[in-house]
């Protein structure tokens, strides 16, 4: 059976277009395998909050993407998923520069998975750490999503 | 002493420009008072993930903004703050439409505050619920932030 | 069909014994209806951490109980559930005294529910605020749990 | 200057009595160094919820202890701390047996630290994963705590 990861890999290689939110925020999927995904992102003035630093929510955007793709890459073609919740700790203010978010599956079961994500800056310093709980949807639950 | 809320109100009324991230994502501050802020946001195709629904991280963007502004509006002019952590539960998938995020201070102390945020759709259905912990920075801590 | 709440009510009224952990920690179920449960607890020296204050984990114990029972009270007899995750903010140190934890269902769906819990002291001051995500188990998932 | 870890080590070696909550719940500090602590715990029938499995809140008790002690072990004698918030994901139901909770400091700053904790069973399977945010208190803040 064809796996969801095949579709995701086509996004990574450019055969398929990136999702709109990736274009809007400006993040790129650079690596993916089942249970692991790497997102790269260039923080600049467009992402600043009133204090001139990177808006924390943008770190959620890239962490959510990295963890969601890592989980999606474990699914079969007829499965989809939803993220139930996400938690993030902001560890270091960022002004500008390249960030890398690495999402990985900590533990997956038949229906629910726990994922984590480290976001590091270009000096490999930890900027944020996130976790999320994803749930696989099948059959009727998956239809129309 | 001039309060931070005066500056925030100027953003709300348009006397000061909105922060860059608000323009990028497309959200607007519509109400603010000490400990409470309301953000409006129009979800559209630009914010979609690969499944065609609103990227969860974008809900973090608007919740983080609503809670951060609610907290900032309680500060004195020589104080600033940082968000230590944010947690969000995604309760309902969104495709498009107007969302309203209302952030409010649940409990504030001298240094740390707990905030919460409801995000509802145009039928007032709860789409997401978030909380965050903010910490006030003063003196040396605030300098250069 | 008989509902799980009938069994829970028998624990509340004393027809059935309380669960062992309630006896160990010393908490009591005082109110229950579908989606809402109230736990009372007397904090004393037995629950102290090395700093002489109530061990934070004990607030998790009573919040977890209040939210779990509130969720269980919405289930049918052939359903059971598991708590996927719990988050708590500690808002005020406690030395001793009576605490009341009120758990309530914020939003329930077919499979997953979000619950919240306030823990207040005898002056009705907010001591902690918690949330948790519960998942209903049915059929094979429920068997043997 | 004498460090808080010296006092903690005396609890570990038995020179000082364990905190009351450790005796009540039945957990033991087996290892400690600055930024890392290991708690052992024997789950038995006393800790069961109405479903006959380990009450989730008890996993918070031991995770909170492991992370709190790991953080405390980084402090000076005139400093103390408070745990602002704790998050836990429950990954596997437990009936009985020996559990080990390892708390560690992920990132510490001047005032705030992020800690994480893995709880594993006697076959080294991940039972729960937790994180918490701790804040150091000094001077007036520390007095009387």
């Amino acid at each position: 059976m064809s796996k969801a990861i095949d579709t995701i890999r086509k996004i990574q290689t450019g055969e398929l277009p990136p999702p709109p939110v990736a274009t809007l925020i400006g993040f790129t999927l650079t690596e993916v395998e089942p249970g692991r995904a790497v997102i790269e992102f260039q923080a600049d003035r467009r992402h600043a909050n009133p204090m001139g630093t990177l808006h924390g929510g943008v770190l959620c955007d890239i962490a959510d993407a990295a963890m969601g793709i890592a989980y999606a890459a474990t699914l079969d073609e007829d499965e989809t998923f939803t993220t139930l919740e996400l938690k993030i700790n902001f560890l270091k203010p960022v002004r500008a520069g390249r960030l890398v978010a690495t999402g990985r599956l900590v533990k997956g079961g038949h229906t629910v998975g726990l994922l984590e994500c480290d976001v590091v800056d270009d000096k490999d310093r930890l900027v944020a750490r996130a976790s999320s709980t994803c749930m696989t949807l099948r059959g009727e639950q998956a239809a129309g999503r």
Side-chain angles (χ1 to χ4, degrees), chain A:
Chain A
M1 189 190 313
S2 175
K3 297 274 191 170
I5 193 172
D6 296 338
T7 305
I8 299 168
R9 285 221 165 104
K10 285 178 184 164
I11 293 174
Q12 185 204 339
T13 58
E15 285 179 79
L16 286 174
V21 71
T23 305
L24 177 69
I25 307 281
F27 62 78
T28 309
L29 173 66
T30 56
E31 293 179 42
V32 62
E33 60 190 276
R36 184 173 179 278
V38 180
I39 293 281
E40 293 194 14
F41 167 71
Q42 187 74 29
D44 61 36
R45 280 193 48 77
R46 295 181 305 148
H47 307 100
N49 62 26
M51 291 176 282
T53 53
L54 176 65
H55 180 60
V58 175
L59 291 167
C60 297
D61 278 308
I62 62 174
D64 185 32
M67 294 188 286
I69 294 168
Y71 193 71
T74 67
L75 301 178
D76 285 326
E77 198 65 65
D78 58 346
E79 295 174 334
T80 182
F81 79 102
T82 189
T83 299
L84 298 178
E85 55 94 26
L86 182 149
K87 163 80 157 71
I88 190 164
N89 277 67
F90 303 110
L91 301 171
K92 188 174 170 29
V94 173
R95 287 197 174 268
R98 183 170 154 277
L99 300 179
V100 177
T102 304
R104 67 189 188 83
L105 183 65
V106 173
K107 180 156 185 199
H110 180 63
T111 304
V112 175
L114 171 66
L115 294 111
E116 286 184 357
C117 182
D118 279 347
V119 184
V120 299
D121 68 11
D122 52 12
K123 289 175 181 159
D124 210 33
R125 294 174 298 197
L126 196 59
V127 163
R129 193 176 194 109
S131 67
S132 70
T133 305
C134 291
M135 183 172 69
T136 303
L137 305 175
R138 298 180 185 92
E140 279 181 38
Q141 284 187 308
R145 299 280 297 231

